[in-house]
Amino acid sequence: MNPVRPPPAVLQTPGFAHYSVAWSPFHNSRIALASAANFGLVGNGRLHMVSLIPGVGGSSAVKLDKQYETQDGIYDVAWSEIHENQLVTGSGDGSLKLWDVLLNDFPIRSWHEHSREVFSVDWSNIKKDTFASSSWDGNVKLWTPEMPRSVTTLHAHLSCVYQALFSPHQPDILATCSTDGTMKIFDLRSPAYATGPATNSFTHPLSAAVLTVPASGTELLTLDWNKYRPFVLATAGVDKVVKVWDCRMIQSANPSAQAIGGVCEVQLPGHEYAVRKVQWSPHRPDILATASYDMTCRIWSANPSAGGSNLLQVHDPHTEFAAGCSWSLYDEGLIAKFSAGDEDDPEDIMSASLQTLYDYVPITHSAPGLIFTYTIKRDGGGSAPRQITLQTPDTQASNWSLHASSIWQSSVHIADHIEYLQLDRFSDRKILRVLELGAGAGLPSIMIAQTTPNAAVVVSDYPDENLICALSDNVRRNHALERCWVVPYAWGSDIFPLLSPAQQNSEGSALFDIIVAADTLWNPETHVQFINTLCMCLDRSPDARVHVVAGLHTGRYTLQSFMNAVMMHKLHVERVVESEVMNGVQRPWDVTRAESEDERERRKWVVWMVLKWA
C-alpha cells in the first residue's frame, strides 16, 4: 500500500507580510493568519481566515474564507479556548482586538493599554477564560474577554517582551522572553516586585519572577513549553541556536524567591541567521520546529536515536525571512509555516512524512476533508491496480473526541492484509454478511465490498451528521452502493438498524458472519458497550468471527484489559498477534513488552485479535 502524498498547499497574500499563524483548537482545518503591510514597519494590518480544503487530484488546498482590516499591523493571533468562533489579535499600535468569525468587518471588543507594539498573544488552554499579551513596553498583561480592562499587569522586563506563554501544565505559571536575553518564569499566584539597584516600585517597577534563565547573550526572540514534560522549555533568538532548558528547580523553590539558573539539556546549532520562532510538537515529546531569518523551516529531535542527527529536515522554499511555523493540533506531521517576505512568497501548509522526519511510523493518514487514495495491489501482472478514493471525515466540533477525522493505520493494515479475514472460507455461501464498527472513512468495508463478490457489508459509525455524510459519499464515490450500506449506530444501543439494510445469510440469519473494527479500543470506558454490541451482532455459527485491529499506541494494558473483558462475555480470544506495519513481521502478543518499548517502537506495530464464541 502506498498512499499518494499530496504537495504542500499554499496561500499568497499580496502586499501583506505574515507574522503569525494559528490552528483552531476546535476545527481541524481552520487557520488564522496575522499579517501587516510594508513588512510591519508602517501601514495597515490584515487578519486572514483560512481553510484547508480538498484540492485537485487528491492534493490539499488553502482557501481564503474572509479577511479583516486594521489600521496598524497585526503581529500575533490566538484562538479562544472557550468559543470556537472567536480569536484575539495584537497590533502595532498597542491594541488588542477580539474577533468573531461569524461577523464581518469589525471586532466585537478592543482594548488599548500597552504603550508600545503588542508582539504576542496567548490564550490559556487550562484557564480557558484568560489570555495574555506581551509588548515592546516590557509589560505582560492578563485579560478576560468580558472585562473592559486588564486583570493583571506584570512588569516583566525592562525591555521588549517578544513572547509570553502560559504553561500547558499549570494554569498559574507563565514564561516570557525578552531583548535582554533572559527567559523568566512567573507564578501568578504570588505577584510581587523585584528589588535591586535598577528597579523600584514607582519609576522602574519590575515584577518578581520565580526563575530567571540567562538564556542568551543577545536578544531572545521566541520560546515554547514542551507539551509533555512540565518545566521543560525551548528558546531561540539572535544567537541562531535553539536551546532546551530543564527548569524543574522552581517546583521546590520558595514562591517568593527569585531563583536564577536552569539546566540547558540540549543545544541545536544549524540556522545561519536569527531564529524567529520555535514550537514543540503537540504530538511528540522530543520533536520541535523552528523558523529562521535564513529563510528555512527546520524540524529537530531533542533526543535522536543512537547515531542519529538532531536535525531531521530542512524546508527552504521561501525567498524571504521565514517568520513562523505552527503544528496542527490534530493532524500529526502537518505544519503551517510562512514568510514575512515579499508578496509572491506564500504561506505553506507542509504535510511532512513522520517516517522520513522522525523515523516514526505514522498512526494516522490524511486530514479532515482531504482526499486519501489507497491502491489495491493485485497479485501477478496484467492490468493496472485499482484505487479506493476516500474523503477523510470532519466530525462536528462537539464530537472531536471520536478521533474519526483521520485514516487510521489499523484500517490501512486491514486493507493491506484483507486475506487475514479468511473471507474465502465463506465462498460457498450466497450471502456473506459483514459489519464494520467505528468505520471512520470506511476503507476496510469498501475494500471488502470491492474484492469479495458475495459480501453484503454494513458499514457503521457514531451518528454524527458530518461523519455519516462523508462515509456515505465514500461508498458512493467508490461504486460500492450495491453491496455496502451505511448505518449510523451508537455502540450498545438497539441493533435493529444494523440488521435491516442487507440480506440474510444462507442460514436465514440477519446477524453477521464477520465483524471488523479498526482502532476502536483507545477508550477503556467504551469497552463494555463495544463488547455488548459484538455479542448482539455476531452470528451464533461456529464459523463466525470478530477481527479487531488496534495500534500499540492504544496501550498494551488497555488492550489486555479488553481481552480480559471479552472472556467475561462468553467470547473467546482465538488468536492474537502483533504485526509490524512496514514489513509484515509477526510475533506473539506479550503484554510485558510495555515495560521496555518506547513510543517509536510502539508505532511500528498493530495488534490483530480474532474472537469467536466460547
Side-chain angles (χ1 to χ4, degrees):
M1 190 283 303
N2 244 338
V4 177
R5 185 170 303 282
V10 298
L11 173 72
Q12 293 182 332
T13 56
F16 284 82
H18 311 140
Y19 273 87
S20 178
V21 64
W23 294 82
S24 166
F26 295 96
H27 296 276
N28 311 47
S29 56
R30 184 182 285 182
I31 303 168
L33 180 64
S35 61
N38 302 309
F39 304 98
L41 299 176
V42 65
N44 297 339
R46 183 176 288 171
L47 174 64
H48 306 265
M49 305 309 305
V50 178
S51 292
L52 190 62
I53 61 171
V56 177
S59 65
S60 57
V62 182
K63 179 173 72 74
L64 180 62
D65 296 321
K66 64 167 57 177
Q67 58 192 34
Y68 300 93
E69 305 290 339
T70 60
Q71 292 184 345
D72 212 315
I74 301 177
Y75 291 148
D76 202 10
V77 58
W79 286 92
S80 168
E81 291 283 344
I82 54 175
H83 195 302
E84 63 179 300
N85 294 314
Q86 291 184 2
L87 63 172
V88 66
T89 58
S91 294
D93 61 1
S95 69
L96 293 99
K97 294 177 172 59
L98 185 69
W99 308 84
D100 190 311
V101 300
L102 299 182
L103 305 176
N104 296 324
D105 300 329
F106 302 108
I108 58 176
R109 187 177 290 275
S110 182
W111 301 269
H112 199 158
E113 292 186 16
H114 286 291
S115 60
R116 298 284 305 277
E117 295 90 331
V118 175
F119 217 65
S120 85
V121 287
D122 182 53
W123 209 296
S124 172
N125 68 334
I126 302 178
K127 209 169 190 176
K128 295 179 181 292
D129 63 344
T130 303
F131 61 92
S133 61
S134 73
S135 169
W136 286 13
D137 63 12
N139 295 331
V140 174
K141 291 179 178 284
L142 307 185
W143 315 78
T144 61
E146 295 78 17
M147 299 293 289
R149 289 178 291 276
S150 61
V151 295
T152 301
T153 296
L154 296 175
H155 302 289
H157 298 262
L158 296 178
S159 51
C160 169
V161 185
Y162 281 113
Q163 199 166 10
L165 292 180
F166 287 103
S167 165
H169 308 282
Q170 300 192 34
D172 296 304
I173 301 297
L174 179 140
T176 63
C177 63
S178 169
T179 301
D180 61 19
T182 67
M183 173 179 66
K184 292 187 178 183
I185 297 178
F186 295 88
D187 188 334
L188 303 176
R189 295 165 295 188
S190 56
Y193 285 121
T195 58
T199 68
N200 62 69
S201 60
F202 183 64
T203 59
H204 289 86
L206 190 66
S207 296
V210 292
L211 179 66
T212 298
V213 179
S216 175
T218 58
E219 293 186 75
L220 205 60
L221 303 179
T222 178
L223 61 80
D224 194 29
W225 293 90
N226 190 288
K227 309 306 185 290
Y228 294 86
R229 302 173 61 200
F231 294 108
V232 171
L233 300 96
T235 63
V238 175
D239 65 5
K240 305 177 285 188
V241 179
V242 181
K243 298 175 183 178
V244 177
W245 300 91
D246 184 343
C247 300
R248 285 176 293 179
M249 66 175 65
I250 68 171
Q251 291 179 284
S252 57
N254 185 335
S256 63
Q258 300 173 37
I260 297 177
V263 177
C264 184
E265 288 186 336
V266 182
Q267 295 194 42
L268 304 174
H271 279 293
E272 299 175 19
Y273 291 102
V275 180
R276 180 64 187 83
K277 184 72 173 181
V278 62
Q279 190 177 64
W280 287 100
S281 166
H283 305 286
R284 302 270 61 81
D286 62 324
I287 301 299
L288 63 162
T290 55
S292 167
Y293 290 151
D294 65 11
M295 296 179 262
T296 69
C297 177
R298 303 184 186 216
I299 311 296
W300 310 80
S301 172
N303 184 27
S305 57
S309 171
N310 292 107
L311 180 61
L312 301 177
Q313 189 182 55
V314 178
H315 196 63
D316 58 351
H318 293 294
T319 58
E320 282 291 347
F321 300 153
C325 55
S326 179
W327 295 96
S328 168
L329 301 177
Y330 291 95
D331 301 300
E332 202 164 355
L334 193 65
I335 187 170
K337 58 188 190 59
F338 56 91
S339 166
D342 57 43
E343 63 184 41
D344 295 322
D345 209 31
E347 180 195 21
D348 183 347
I349 310 297
M350 178 181 68
S351 180
S353 165
L354 284 173
Q355 191 176 4
T356 300
L357 293 183
Y358 320 149
D359 190 29
Y360 275 42
V361 176
I363 58 176
T364 62
H365 301 276
S366 192
L370 299 187
I371 296 298
F372 175 87
T373 303
Y374 176 87
T375 300
I376 303 174
K377 293 184 178 179
R378 295 183 176 181
D379 294 331
S383 58
R386 289 179 294 164
Q387 291 184 328
I388 294 175
T389 303
L390 305 171
Q391 183 174 32
T392 311
D394 188 2
T395 57
Q396 296 171 349
S398 59
N399 291 326
W400 69 268
S401 60
L402 295 173
H403 299 295
S405 297
S406 298
I407 310 292
W408 287 87
Q409 180 60 48
S410 291
S411 67
V412 174
H413 190 73
I414 293 174
D416 283 349
H417 301 283
I418 203 75
E419 69 276 8
Y420 292 175
L421 299 177
Q422 297 183 315
L423 301 180
D424 54 352
R425 293 189 301 119
F426 303 89
S427 60
D428 59 339
R429 295 191 182 182
K430 182 179 179 181
I431 298 296
L432 167 62
R433 284 182 53 79
V434 179
L435 168 67
E436 184 179 6
L437 296 170
L443 175 58
S445 290
I446 295 171
M447 179 76 170
I448 293 169
Q450 289 195 353
T451 59
T452 310
N454 64 335
V457 185
V458 175
V459 53
S460 72
D461 210 323
Y462 187 80
D464 174 283
E465 183 179 355
N466 295 353
L467 173 56
I468 296 303
C469 181
L471 192 50
S472 300
D473 288 344
N474 286 339
V475 170
R476 186 181 306 108
R477 180 182 291 111
N478 291 282
H479 311 292
L481 285 170
E482 291 185 1
R483 286 188 286 118
C484 204
W485 293 265
V486 176
V487 179
Y489 178 73
W491 298 343
S493 61
D494 186 355
I495 67 170
F496 177 76
L498 297 173
L499 304 181
S500 56
Q503 304 171 9
Q504 296 178 344
N505 62 22
S506 56
E507 283 73 32
S509 172
L511 298 176
F512 295 93
D513 305 297
I514 297 291
I515 301 177
V516 178
D519 265 320
T520 54
L521 304 182
W522 51 271
N523 184 0
E525 294 181 0
T526 64
H527 285 184
V528 172
Q529 297 98 307
F530 181 63
I531 295 171
N532 287 338
T533 299
L534 297 179
C535 293
M536 290 188 288
C537 291
L538 187 63
D539 190 78
R540 290 288 173 169
S541 137
D543 294 328
R545 295 291 187 273
V546 177
H547 295 264
V548 180
V549 182
L552 278 183
H553 63 273
T554 303
R556 287 186 180 271
Y557 296 124
T558 299
L559 295 176
Q560 187 64 58
S561 70
F562 170 77
M563 288 184 258
N564 295 343
V566 160
M567 291 184 284
M568 299 173 61
H569 288 75
K570 299 182 180 180
L571 289 172
H572 171 68
V573 180
E574 180 182 45
R575 184 169 61 94
V576 53
V577 296
E578 302 176 18
S579 297
E580 193 167 7
V581 171
M582 301 309 296
N583 58 29
V585 171
Q586 292 190 342
R587 67 188 184 190
W589 164 255
D590 186 352
V591 68
T592 64
R593 291 194 181 100
E595 302 302 321
S596 59
E597 62 192 358
D598 60 15
E599 187 162 1
R600 182 180 284 106
E601 180 66 17
R602 286 194 296 271
R603 285 171 159 269
K604 298 177 181 179
W605 299 86
V606 297
V607 177
W608 193 306
M609 307 177 203
V610 182
L611 314 179
K612 67 175 185 177
W613 290 112

